[in-house]
Amino acid sequence: MAKEDLRRDAFEYHRSPTPGKISIRPTKPCLTQRDLALAYTPGVAEPCLAIAENPELADEFTSRANLVGVITNGTAVLGLGNIGPLAGKPVMEGKAVLFKRFADIDVFDIELDENDPMSIVETIARMEPTFGGINLEDIKAPECFIIEEELKKRMNIPVLHDDQHGTAVIMAAAFINALVLQNKQIEDVKIVCLGAGAAGFACMKLIEQLGATHENILFLDRKGVIHKNSGEDLPPHKAYFATERPERTLAEAMKDADVFIGLSQGNIVNAEMLLSMAEKPIVFAMANPDPEIDYALAMSTRKDLIMATGRSDHPNQVNNVLGFPFLFRGALDVRATTFNEEMKVAAVHALAELARADVPHSVLKAYGARELRFGPEYILPKPFDPRLIEVVPVAVAKAATDTGVARKPLTNAKAYAQELAGRIDNSRLFMRMISDKARAHPTRLVLPEGEDETVIRAAISMQDMNIADPILIGRKSVVEQICHRDRLDISRIEVVDPSVENSRFSSLADAYYFDRKRHGMLRDDAAKMLHSDINLLGAMLVRQGFADGMLSGRTAHYPNVLRPLLKVLGHDNTGNHHHVYGMYIMVMENAAYFLTDCTVNVEMNAEQLAELAELAADTATSLGCDARVAMLSFSNFGSVDHPETRKVAEATRLLQQRRPDLTVDGEMQADTAVNGAILEQYPFSKLQEPANVLIFPTMQAGNIAYKLLRELGGGTAIGPILLGLPQQAHVLHTGASVDDIVNMAAIAAARAAADK
């Protein structure tokens, strides 16, 4: 992007539609006189008195435990230098956005017009009642060391100077992984650190704690190697790494060095220096916007190099957003009294291990990548990896607990990880619970679109997650070509080739012929159809017991998959037809809702609506939800007399008579069903809490509703899910992603497990 374009776009981004990047919104309603009385006087006196008696209750009655102060005096803002507190405010607001987006942490940004370090300490220390943690930002060295150290002594909440420790944690995670790839031992490597400021000092201290040898570290500022015999009165952070080694200049230091860590200025390292380094060097050139050595120059100079920068347009970006949100999330949740070294080391190892794990497809999609695999160009997780929130805070919280600085110790890491999954994306929390159920009884699922790369990746994921045993349908030569091209391992996955005749195929053709012989089907026609129609073949594998379920539709139109599926699985052995319905699960900010029928039946009579509601309620229960069913219409309990409302009322009566164990009522309007305040006006209703299973009277209503919720309400749609079939067979939406397919596999397996 051209500089002028960037300037224009940045101005517009910060100016419109509202100046700045953050705002405050209430978390409780304030719509009535009662709300006002509870929010302020006289009701607010009760929590005030309780906190005065027991200060620990502040975490229960206020937002303090999830509130961080991002504080600066603007003396070292990004790459801009000492631009002052007011000019630094956009950066602090940006930090607030990242805290909220990546870890659901609220922030007050505070810009102090003060340069004296002890005055800053006094000011911040007096704000301890306000915050659960303090993030110091963009304060120059050496004042930042004094401020952080003094605050850690005085305050009983975690304090972190992110420019130091956030950078150090991310760099150290990349460093560990680079050592693994270069087959080097941390205690043996010679390390050159150019940039003797706060970040450089913190980076070297942390990797020393991880095992680097103190004597092997050369610390450089703009004058050269910091030496004990320099004759200067060195500040403590420089004196700590001052050396007696003979190297004096950067060029001398780089000779035979294994590692270069740059936190200084652009283009200060040349190709000759790089060539003088040891075999398989590690270069982290993190100056912004220009690295200490140009990325293209470095990569063309040394083919055995692993390189990281601070830029997003090169591989291996050392980005602080991988650290500070998750460090604070873990510390806040266990009410840590400080950030200790063990907590930072735990975050380092969590990040390093995550980079070595398989990358979910959602991350590939977010970055437009075909592949991300642990290696020279992938030594750190990507910032938008959804697993970060589930992994790093748990490690930090556990370390805080183990070292005794947690006022609310972590007792169940698995439950905490599940809770974290829902802080940013409720659908992840919901699907984690479903996946846990699925893992108890993995289901054999046939995937007819086995020649599609996305489907192959989904099959690998569901097998790795142990939620299903996938069976791919596809010509083996084509499947193998795709796997070879994309380096996909399907050695443990069965592939059924529709072009190959064998005894199983013959038995499937016989069975299909037997089922359709009175519908004009000949034996040869049956075989030809199974050869040519992958969905028909998949459905027959399910019908004959070679698979427990089927997922298809990513590469086809919904009706073209549904028809062969219903033809094979839509009736029993006596010819009785199953009535099939379509459902979506909508995961909203605070709850999951089951919406039916959204995809199959255009119109339904009262008997069908009752059957649909029963199936939907049982499905919700099988997935671990307490089903509360609302039969929807445009009338509330007879307020409108119309054939359509009478139909819904009759369906309600039939279901209540058939299944008195279910919580179901109707007919009712949609807002009545989901709004507890409106529901209270009908004390006779069997629904005492808002409904979560919503039965629409027509497909038109259901389809419109789920799409509006998805597009305007910010809901995540999971489905479509077919109800009414004896097997777990479902039609995917066209273009379904790997995550969509895996989610459907988990739901199919969880429902199958509940039926056993």
Side-chain angles (χ1 to χ4, degrees):
M1 182 181 291
K3 186 173 179 61
E4 278 306 310
D5 292 340
L6 177 65
R7 179 183 174 89
R8 182 193 65 242
D9 291 350
F11 281 172
E12 185 62 23
Y13 178 85
H14 285 79
R15 179 185 291 130
S16 302
T18 302
K21 297 190 288 287
I22 58 175
S23 66
I24 297 174
R25 65 177 182 85
T27 60
K28 305 291 192 301
C30 191
L31 303 173
T32 66
Q33 177 60 36
R34 180 175 181 273
D35 293 340
L36 187 60
L38 293 173
Y40 200 52
T41 183
V44 74
E46 299 305 322
C48 289
L49 293 171
I51 293 169
E53 186 174 329
N54 179 7
E56 296 290 325
L57 290 176
D59 293 344
E60 185 176 332
F61 292 139
T62 77
S63 64
R64 179 177 184 262
N66 195 51
L67 184 63
V68 166
V70 173
I71 303 178
T72 190
N73 67 351
T75 53
V77 179
L78 292 176
L80 305 176
N82 186 356
I83 61 174
L86 187 60
K89 186 173 177 63
V91 178
M92 301 310 112
E93 287 189 354
K95 202 68 177 274
V97 170
L98 299 180
F99 264 110
K100 190 65 178 179
R101 165 60 182 84
F102 288 99
D104 192 31
I105 293 172
D106 296 319
V107 163
F108 289 162
D109 68 293
I110 296 175
E111 293 73 34
L112 298 176
D113 189 9
E114 179 59 71
N115 290 332
D116 178 69
M118 293 312 298
S119 295
I120 293 173
V121 168
E122 293 293 340
T123 301
I124 296 174
R126 291 190 177 102
M127 291 190 283
E128 183 168 344
T130 302
F131 296 110
I134 298 293
N135 182 103
L136 300 172
E137 193 76 16
D138 294 349
I139 302 172
K140 72 182 180 70
E143 289 89 338
C144 60
F145 300 116
I146 300 169
I147 294 167
E148 183 187 42
E149 193 60 37
E150 286 298 318
L151 288 175
K152 291 179 77 169
K153 292 176 185 176
R154 298 190 189 195
M155 302 183 83
N156 203 37
I157 57 176
V159 177
L160 187 81
H161 183 210
D162 182 52
D163 300 314
Q164 293 182 61
H165 307 296
T167 301
V169 165
I170 313 310
M171 184 284 304
F175 179 67
I176 287 174
N177 281 341
L179 288 175
V180 170
L181 292 168
Q182 299 292 57
N183 195 26
K184 297 193 176 192
Q185 302 303 312
I186 190 169
E187 63 271 15
D188 297 331
V189 292
K190 176 185 174 183
I191 302 165
V192 174
C193 179
L194 176 60
F201 177 71
C203 287
M204 293 305 99
K205 282 282 286 182
L206 186 54
I207 63 173
E208 184 183 24
Q209 184 165 352
L210 291 169
T213 303
H214 185 85
E215 291 74 21
N216 287 347
I217 297 173
L218 292 177
F219 205 38
L220 289 82
D221 59 16
R222 66 188 63 187
K223 298 177 184 177
V225 177
I226 297 170
H227 204 275
K228 288 184 178 180
N229 300 323
S230 64
E232 293 184 56
D233 185 15
L234 297 173
H237 74 286
K238 290 187 178 182
Y240 181 84
F241 281 111
T243 185
E244 293 181 339
R245 293 175 61 124
E247 297 93 339
R248 290 292 188 272
T249 67
L250 176 59
E252 292 171 354
M254 292 287 279
K255 182 172 172 46
D256 296 325
D258 298 280
V259 181
F260 170 79
I261 307 293
L263 293 144
S264 55
Q265 65 188 64
N267 301 309
I268 200 168
V269 174
N270 58 40
E272 288 73 22
M273 294 178 188
L274 191 60
L275 286 168
S276 74
M277 294 182 73
E279 290 185 359
K280 296 184 177 180
I282 297 166
V283 173
F284 291 176
M286 296 180 285
N288 263 322
D290 297 317
E292 282 80 359
I293 182 169
D294 178 72
Y295 180 82
L297 172 62
M299 298 307 293
S300 63
T301 302
R302 293 289 297 257
K303 301 300 182 185
D304 59 345
L305 172 71
I306 290 181
M307 186 169 180
T309 71
R311 294 178 60 123
S312 61
D313 54 348
H314 300 316
N316 302 325
Q317 183 190 20
V318 179
N319 189 334
N320 280 24
V321 78
L322 291 171
F324 67 84
F326 312 112
L327 284 160
F328 272 97
R329 181 76 275 156
L332 292 172
D333 288 340
V334 295
R335 309 295 188 263
T337 57
T338 188
F339 274 116
N340 58 31
E341 294 306 306
E342 291 84 354
M343 293 161 72
K344 288 178 272 187
V345 169
V348 169
H349 287 299
L351 285 166
E353 289 168 12
L354 187 58
R356 296 195 289 269
D358 290 338
V359 179
H361 187 266
S362 60
V363 178
L364 299 180
K365 185 177 179 181
Y367 288 90
R370 178 176 287 276
E371 179 184 55
L372 286 173
R373 193 185 301 271
F374 179 58
E377 294 191 347
Y378 181 72
I379 58 176
L380 282 170
K382 294 293 187 180
F384 285 100
D385 191 325
R387 300 169 300 174
L388 285 163
I389 186 69
E390 303 174 38
V391 172
V392 182
V394 175
V396 173
K398 187 175 185 304
T401 299
D402 292 344
T403 55
V405 299
R407 292 189 290 112
K408 183 183 175 184
L410 180 65
T411 57
N412 187 329
K414 182 179 179 181
Y416 179 44
Q418 288 184 331
E419 174 194 332
L420 289 167
R423 292 204 74 121
I424 302 301
D425 182 356
N426 277 300
S427 65
R428 286 187 63 80
L429 173 61
F430 182 80
M431 288 312 306
R432 275 190 68 123
M433 295 187 294
I434 301 301
S435 296
D436 287 344
K437 292 179 178 293
R439 274 187 280 271
H441 297 280
T443 300
R444 295 172 302 164
L445 282 179
V446 61
L447 306 170
E449 299 160 301
E451 295 182 8
D452 179 79
E453 176 204 337
T454 298
V455 172
I456 296 172
R457 290 184 182 276
I460 294 170
S461 292
M462 63 181 73
Q463 186 177 65
D464 289 345
M465 294 169 64
N466 197 33
I467 61 174
D469 295 320
I471 302 168
L472 295 169
I473 294 179
R475 291 165 294 174
K476 286 193 175 181
S477 60
V478 176
V479 175
E480 289 171 357
Q481 183 180 11
I482 294 170
C483 292
H484 177 74
R485 181 193 70 197
D486 296 329
R487 294 198 290 174
L488 303 175
D489 180 11
I490 59 166
S491 57
R492 296 181 296 130
I493 297 175
E494 180 183 359
V495 178
V496 175
D497 192 329
S499 65
V500 174
E501 289 273 3
N502 54 33
S503 58
R504 181 169 64 177
F505 185 89
S506 182
S507 71
L508 292 173
D510 288 342
Y512 186 56
Y513 163 67
F514 185 82
D515 186 57
R516 305 297 296 176
K517 63 185 178 182
R518 292 191 177 274
H519 296 271
M521 180 70 65
L522 298 176
R523 171 60 176 78
D524 287 349
D525 293 336
K528 289 176 183 176
M529 292 187 72
L530 291 184
H531 278 307
S532 61
D533 191 330
I534 54 174
N535 292 307
L536 205 60
L537 177 57
M540 283 304 301
L541 285 168
V542 175
R543 183 179 176 89
Q544 295 306 108
F546 295 107
D548 303 310
M550 166 179 156
L551 301 178
S552 187
R554 177 188 138 72
T555 61
H557 291 299
Y558 189 92
N560 294 340
V561 181
L562 184 61
R563 278 193 290 267
L565 192 154
L566 294 180
K567 185 185 291 184
V568 173
L569 301 176
H571 60 275
D572 59 25
N573 291 330
T574 64
N576 293 320
H577 285 268
H578 305 295
H579 209 103
V580 179
Y581 307 89
M583 178 178 76
Y584 268 94
I585 303 173
M586 294 298 303
V587 183
M588 307 301 290
E589 184 176 355
N590 297 314
Y593 296 90
F594 299 79
L595 278 60
T596 64
D597 183 330
C598 303
T599 60
V600 178
N601 299 280
V602 176
E603 293 184 344
M604 293 162 283
N605 58 34
E607 175 64 35
Q608 290 167 336
L609 284 173
E611 181 185 26
L612 167 59
E614 183 177 7
L615 290 168
D618 287 342
T619 298
T621 302
S622 73
L623 297 178
C625 298
D626 181 17
R628 300 180 299 277
V629 185
M631 309 295 288
L632 300 181
S633 184
F634 55 89
S635 165
N636 277 324
F637 307 105
S639 62
V640 178
D641 185 23
H642 186 276
E644 283 297 310
T645 63
R646 291 197 296 270
K647 178 182 71 174
V648 178
E650 174 63 11
T652 306
R653 186 191 66 77
L654 289 171
L655 184 54
Q656 289 175 341
Q657 185 178 49
R658 182 185 306 161
R659 290 286 302 276
D661 59 305
L662 292 180
T663 302
V664 57
D665 215 337
E667 84 290 6
M668 66 176 64
Q669 295 178 11
D671 55 347
T672 303
V674 298
N675 188 319
I678 300 176
L679 203 56
E680 286 178 357
Q681 299 176 31
Y682 303 94
F684 56 83
S685 173
K686 296 184 183 298
L687 284 174
Q688 297 301 306
E689 297 178 63
N692 58 358
V693 180
L694 307 178
I695 310 301
F696 293 92
T698 65
M699 186 174 78
Q700 180 170 242
N703 192 272
I704 291 170
Y706 103 77
K707 289 185 176 179
L708 282 174
L709 282 173
R710 184 184 65 192
E711 298 300 325
L712 301 182
T716 299
I718 300 173
I721 300 164
L722 292 182
L723 308 178
L725 291 173
Q727 300 93 349
Q728 292 301 315
H730 304 286
V731 182
L732 303 167
H733 65 83
T734 305
S737 68
V738 169
D739 290 341
D740 294 331
I741 300 169
V742 172
N743 286 346
M744 285 299 300
I747 288 171
R751 290 181 65 201
D755 292 339
K756 292 181 179 179

